[in-house]
Amino acid sequence: MESEYSNFDAVLHSYFDSFETLDKYQNHPTHNVVAEWIGKIRDLRYCVDYEF
């Protein structure tokens, strides 16, 4: 049986050199515009953070 959570329409997989670069990305004006738009059209959101 296939889980309803086993398929996604879009995935953003990102690597950052440091937490500082992650912070710059998360607070960049273009990122904020896109994030606001995605927030309006998505049904569900999942986030996984990990550090190597």
Side-chain angles (χ1 to χ4, degrees):
M1 173 189 274
E2 190 171 319
S3 167
E4 65 181 296
Y5 303 111
S6 65
N7 296 299
F8 294 91
D9 293 323
V11 174
L12 173 63
H13 190 144
S14 304
Y15 290 97
F16 298 94
D17 294 329
S18 66
F19 286 111
E20 180 181 87
T21 57
L22 170 61
D23 186 59
K24 287 180 183 179
Y25 165 77
Q26 290 178 324
N27 292 294
H28 191 279
T30 303
H31 170 78
N32 293 331
V33 169
V34 173
E36 183 179 341
W37 176 74
I38 292 291
K40 292 177 182 177
I41 65 166
R42 68 169 164 79
D43 290 325
L44 296 170
R45 178 182 183 267
Y46 293 91
C47 180
V48 176
D49 291 332
Y50 52 92
E51 184 177 353
F52 287 100

